[in-house]
Amino acid sequence: MRTAATLAATVAAVLLLLPLFVLGVSWMLQATVSTAVLAIVLRTAVAAAVATAIDMMFGIAVGYRLSRDPGFRRRPLRVLLQIPGHVPQAAVGLALVMACGGMLGSGSSWAGYALVIVAMVFVSLPVAVEESRRGFDAVDLHLERVSRTLGAGAGKTFRQVTLPLAADGLLGAAAVVFARAFGEFAALAFVVPFPLTVGTGIYQWFSQGMTEKAVELAAIGAMFSLLSWVLVAGIRLWVGRRLGRFRG
C-alpha cells in the first residue's frame, strides 16, 4: 500500500510540474526579459497585494468568528460569503463590469486598475475566510481561557494571545489568497484592456499570435509566484518554530 501511494504521489508530482518545466525551458530558449513584461508582473503583484490586504481584514474577523462560534457556521451570512467561490468566475467578471461599467467608460487607467482590485477581492474573499478559520482552529482554546482567567479582556486576549499564535496559519492564508488573486484570469478578462494583468496578458498576447511574449510573461509570472510562495513558506516555518512550544 505504501509503495502504491508513493508511486501515485510521484506520478501526480510529475503531471503537475511537467507543464511548468516545459514553460521554463521554452522561456530559457528565448532568454528575454522585456520591460513591458516586468511592468505587467509588478502591476499584477501590487493589485494582488492590495486585494490580499483587504481580503485578510475581513477574513480574519469572519474566520475568527467561524472558528469560535460553531452556530455562526450555519447562518445565512456564511453561505453568502461562499457564493463567489461557487459561481463561474467569468460570470463574476461580467457582473462587475455591468455594475461598474462607468469606471471603464471613463477611459481612466486608474479606474480600470481599481476594478481589477475589486474583482480580485471578490473572487478571493471566500478563500481568505476559510483559510483564516483554519489558522484560528489551530490555536488551543485553553490558552485563551487562561488569558481571560488572568484578567485580560476579549480584545486583549485576541491581540496578545490568539492572533500571535495563529500568525503562521494566517500567513499561509495570506499566501493562498495572494496566489489566487495574482493568477486570476476569468473574472479579469472582461476588464481588458484596462489594464493587462499576468493572466489576461498571457491570453491576449497568445491569441494575437505573440507566442514568444506570452511565454515570457507566463514564465516570469510563474517564477514570481513561486518565489513569493517560498518566501512566505520560510517565514511561516520560522514563526511556527518560535510559537510551537506554546501550543498544546
Side-chain angles (χ1 to χ4, degrees):
M1 182 64 184
R2 183 176 299 178
T3 302
T6 302
L7 179 61
T10 302
V11 172
V14 170
L15 292 176
L16 290 173
L17 295 177
L18 184 59
L20 292 177
F21 177 77
V22 173
L23 177 64
V25 171
S26 300
W27 173 65
M28 284 188 291
L29 291 176
Q30 299 177 23
T32 59
V33 181
S34 65
T35 304
V37 166
L38 292 178
I40 291 176
V41 172
L42 179 60
R43 179 193 306 140
T44 308
V46 171
V50 173
T52 300
I54 296 172
D55 280 334
M56 290 306 296
M57 284 192 297
F58 290 99
I60 288 174
V62 180
Y64 177 75
R65 181 68 184 277
L66 287 171
S67 177
R68 296 300 184 262
D69 184 2
F72 186 74
R73 302 184 186 187
R74 296 188 293 270
R75 295 180 183 176
L77 179 59
R78 189 197 180 194
V79 177
L80 292 175
L81 289 171
Q82 297 303 312
I83 287 177
H86 296 280
V87 298
Q89 300 306 299
V92 172
L94 179 59
L96 288 174
V97 169
M98 292 178 66
C100 308
M103 296 175 65
L104 292 177
S106 68
S108 170
S109 59
W110 286 105
Y113 198 50
L115 190 55
V116 165
I117 295 174
V118 170
M120 287 181 173
V121 169
F122 194 85
V123 299
S124 55
L125 181 57
V127 179
V129 171
E130 288 301 313
E131 293 297 325
S132 296
R133 178 188 60 79
R134 293 189 180 97
F136 288 119
D137 283 346
V139 178
D140 191 349
L141 288 173
H142 176 68
L143 297 175
E144 294 182 349
R145 296 190 187 102
V146 170
S147 175
R148 298 294 296 272
T149 301
L150 294 176
K156 187 174 182 180
T157 296
F158 177 78
R159 292 191 304 271
Q160 298 186 1
V161 178
T162 309
L163 200 57
L165 289 177
D168 59 333
L170 296 178
L171 281 170
V176 173
V177 172
F178 178 84
R180 178 71 179 81
F182 184 85
E184 178 57 33
F185 165 70
L188 300 180
F190 293 89
V191 188
V192 173
F194 299 107
L196 287 179
T197 62
V198 170
T200 57
I202 293 171
Y203 176 77
Q204 184 173 11
W205 285 349
F206 183 79
S207 63
Q208 292 175 353
M210 302 167 62
T211 306
E212 292 186 358
K213 298 295 292 182
V215 168
E216 179 187 348
L217 178 57
I220 298 299
M223 188 182 303
F224 179 87
S225 296
L226 290 173
L227 289 175
S228 302
W229 178 80
V230 169
L231 176 62
V232 175
I235 296 174
R236 283 191 67 196
L237 181 62
W238 178 75
V239 172
R241 286 180 174 177
R242 288 180 61 88
L243 296 176
R245 63 181 182 275
F246 296 109
R247 288 179 171 167

